[in-house]
Amino acid sequence: MKVCMIGTGYVGLVSGTCFAEIGHNVTCVDNDEKKIEILKNGKIPIYEPGLLDMVRKNVSENRLKFTTSISEGVRESLFIFIAVGTPPKENGEPDLSSVEKVASEIGEAMEDYKIVVEKSTVPVQTGKWIKTIVERFNRKKVEFDVASNPEFLREGSAIQDFLKPDRVVLGVESEKAKELLLELYKPIDAPKIITDLASAELIKHASNSFLSMKISFINALSIICEYSGADILKVAEGIGLDKRIGRDFLNAGVGFGGFCFPKDLKAFIGISQKLGYDFRLLKEVERINEEQMKRVVKKLEDSLWNLRDKRIGILGLSFKPNTDDMRFAPSITIINELKKEGAIVKAYDPVAMERAKEIMPDIVYCKDAYEVAENADGIILVTEWDEFKNLDLKKLKEKMRQPVFLDGRNIFDPQEMKKIGFIYSGIGR
Ligand code: UGA
């Protein structure tokens, strides 16, 4: 089947490439000429494990191509996916101007029946607007449907999440759109949930909010563990084995980040408000998360007394492992707090340093974890990259001026760390 994917960010590029991988013919469109140039040259503008090989394979097998022309993509395809960015505005509401622009261009370019599918994360009722705009610019008055197909891809494992998802959600308004979308997704072996547009849109925001809530719950619980001498890992295991709760997303840490949870949470709180409901539960989820990032610095202060002029090493900068994404990364808040206290910050990340330099040009970047440890008064592990799990910890400790180690992701065994000689603390244990 013929698919046009508008927007080649994380969502669009992964989804487009995976649609090609399962046998469809895909045209990926982006108005960023530089991005399209990179893609045409056989490279990719983002870091996502496995994606580069999959792009190259599908391009060489003629199922995947790239263009800057929406009209070209629209004319050739039956499914038109909108996967453009919806970044937060100053007030936290998503900026939907790109969605609107794309919808009008789709309307103008349509010459025969199309299914316009919203894939960008958008507030409930956006589908209605897309329909209005496409209709307004649909000068040839061709038939079309609007559908909502939210994505649940996690950065770092996005390909797997696309090809083997827990579910596929299809919000549709007609039998025809339903049948065609089911055909498109036929090669994907997963439950298909058919809903109306608004429910599909809500499922996306509700899923991300619920997962954020789980993380804030476990982070709040980690504080109680610290006060009471309990171990958060044991507590998480104990509650997580209850199938109704589940162990996933119960890892206490430095707080959640990335371009999805913080932004979607804020957007969802705003939409609820607009619809007439004050979603205070989610406001608290957000507050706990912001506090958690700052608590990390307070904890370090508890071990080091004063932070002024102390050399603090940061291990891991990206918002989670296996991505170079720095958007809303907890490391940024933590480093800002450290700087406010007068600390000298040095950092290392296996892949995110180039991106980090654009946001934080004034910290010291190191070539590896050992250089970070050199003369450091304290280390905070912020991102649980595998590389850090395999460190020579004795060597690391020897390099430090004071062996204070704050394990923000609980990847090390406290007893082992203390045996090596670290003044070690984790989160909630
Ligand atoms: C998230 C969702 O998991 C996806 O289902 C969704 O499609 C995506 O947002 C999106 O809306 O596009 P992602 O942001 O890539 O995916 O990352 P996650 O793996 O969900 O992690 C988000 C943050 O939560 C990270 O900072 C991570 O470190 C943190 N986290 C996660 C914890 O602190 N504890 C946990 O137990 C799990």
Side-chain angles (χ1 to χ4, degrees):
M1 299 175 103
K2 297 219 158 104
V3 176
C4 168
M5 186 65 65
I6 305 175
T8 59
Y10 279 99
V11 173
L13 189 57
V14 171
S15 307
T17 307
C18 288
F19 273 132
E21 179 72 14
I22 60 174
H24 300 304
N25 281 312
V26 182
T27 306
C28 285
V29 183
D30 205 297
N31 62 1
D32 184 338
E33 285 173 16
K34 257 199 232 139
K35 263 193 193 169
I36 294 297
E37 207 44 46
I38 292 172
L39 289 160
K40 280 187 170 167
N41 287 332
K43 300 196 183 97
I44 55 173
I46 53 168
Y47 175 85
E48 181 62 38
L51 186 61
L52 180 60
D53 287 346
M54 197 180 270
V55 167
R56 287 182 177 163
K57 172 178 163 225
N58 284 283
V59 168
S60 75
E61 291 170 8
N62 289 324
R63 283 190 305 272
L64 181 62
K65 60 178 179 150
F66 304 99
T67 174
T68 52
S69 162
I70 286 194
S71 56
E72 181 191 326
V74 170
R75 257 183 279 118
E76 287 174 357
S77 315
L78 167 62
F79 298 95
I80 320 297
F81 280 84
I82 303 180
V84 295
T86 52
K89 297 192 278 195
E90 288 267 301
N91 64 1
E93 277 181 19
D95 180 352
L96 299 173
S97 54
S98 299
V99 175
E100 181 187 340
K101 188 163 172 285
V102 163
S104 64
E105 289 179 47
I106 295 170
E108 272 174 351
M110 294 190 316
E111 290 177 346
D112 51 10
Y113 175 74
K114 305 289 172 199
I115 305 184
V116 182
V117 194
E118 71 180 5
K119 200 143 191 66
S120 305
T121 299
V122 290
V124 60
Q125 294 179 337
T126 301
K128 275 209 299 204
W129 269 108
I130 293 180
K131 195 170 167 189
T132 307
I133 299 300
V134 174
E135 185 57 59
R136 216 172 265 171
F137 288 84
N138 177 10
R139 304 207 204 284
K140 300 206 171 82
K141 295 291 162 223
V142 299
E143 189 199 345
F144 72 97
D145 272 302
V146 171
S148 165
N149 171 219
E151 57 83 20
F152 304 101
L153 312 176
R154 283 164 303 173
E155 284 177 23
S157 54
I159 291 178
Q160 187 70 8
D161 287 346
F162 188 98
L163 298 174
K164 292 191 168 51
D166 290 340
R167 78 298 206 190
V168 173
V169 175
L170 302 170
V172 289
E173 286 189 318
S174 77
E175 199 55 29
K176 185 173 178 181
K178 176 183 137 186
E179 293 307 327
L180 285 167
L181 278 162
L182 282 174
E183 184 65 26
L184 180 76
Y185 273 103
K186 204 168 176 185
I188 303 284
D189 181 21
K192 317 264 159 61
I193 314 288
I194 310 291
T195 73
D196 55 284
L197 277 187
S199 302
E201 291 169 332
L202 260 184
I203 287 170
K204 169 68 192 196
H205 265 145
S207 300
N208 275 1
S209 301
F210 193 89
L211 292 169
S212 313
M213 184 178 75
K214 270 187 108 173
I215 301 170
S216 276
F217 179 84
I218 203 73
N219 282 338
L221 205 57
S222 76
I223 302 172
I224 307 293
C225 286
E226 285 175 16
Y227 291 166
S228 63
D231 181 346
I232 194 69
L233 287 190
K234 289 288 166 209
V235 177
E237 190 187 353
I239 58 178
L241 278 172
D242 183 329
K243 287 195 192 68
R244 294 167 303 175
I245 297 174
R247 177 63 181 81
D248 287 350
F249 280 68
L250 285 182
N251 294 319
V254 297
F256 57 77
F259 203 51
C260 302
F261 285 176
K263 155 176 99 73
D264 288 359
L265 200 57
K266 215 175 238 356
F268 200 32
I269 292 168
I271 300 153
S272 308
Q273 203 85 48
K274 265 195 182 162
L275 291 169
Y277 179 66
D278 183 9
F279 217 143
R280 276 184 293 184
L281 173 66
L282 295 185
K283 287 183 181 165
E284 197 53 27
V285 168
E286 201 177 30
R287 194 193 61 76
I288 293 170
N289 195 52
E290 277 155 20
E291 248 177 29
Q292 187 72 0
M293 297 186 235
K294 295 184 180 159
R295 260 193 96 240
V296 173
V297 177
K298 283 270 161 295
K299 273 169 72 97
L300 194 71
E301 222 173 4
D302 289 345
S303 308
L304 282 171
W305 192 13
N306 294 299
L307 290 176
R308 177 151 301 280
D309 296 331
K310 296 274 162 62
R311 289 185 202 89
I312 307 301
I314 301 290
L315 295 184
L317 292 163
S318 56
F319 81 97
K320 64 173 194 177
N322 298 325
T323 174
D324 64 347
D325 200 338
M326 284 298 298
R327 294 175 297 178
F328 296 95
S331 65
I332 301 172
T333 307
I334 292 169
I335 288 171
N336 282 340
E337 288 295 306
L338 286 168
K339 285 200 309 204
K340 249 194 253 165
E341 293 298 325
I344 303 154
V345 181
K346 28 189 207 160
Y348 166 72
D349 186 284
V351 306
M353 289 205 284
E354 285 315 307
R355 297 227 160 168
K357 280 177 195 166
E358 291 164 17
I359 308 165
M360 300 178 290
D362 54 346
I363 61 168
V364 180
Y365 291 91
C366 301
K367 70 171 194 308
D368 58 22
Y370 304 106
E371 198 178 307
V372 166
E374 199 89 52
N375 255 326
D377 295 289
I379 284 183
I380 307 178
L381 184 136
V382 177
T383 318
E384 67 278 33
W385 284 93
D386 276 346
E387 185 177 319
F388 300 145
K389 295 177 185 160
N390 302 317
L391 284 172
D392 179 342
L393 293 166
K394 282 203 184 94
K395 182 172 157 192
L396 197 81
K397 196 222 127 205
E398 242 108 76
K399 290 189 177 290
M400 294 179 73
R401 190 162 164 262
Q402 302 188 63
V404 172
F405 195 104
L406 177 52
D407 181 358
R409 298 289 184 174
N410 290 336
I411 67 170
F412 295 115
D413 177 43
Q415 300 313 327
E416 285 296 311
M417 291 299 273
K418 282 174 193 159
K419 227 194 277 163
I420 294 168
F422 283 109
I423 302 165
Y424 174 90
S425 52
I427 304 288
R429 53 198 318 228

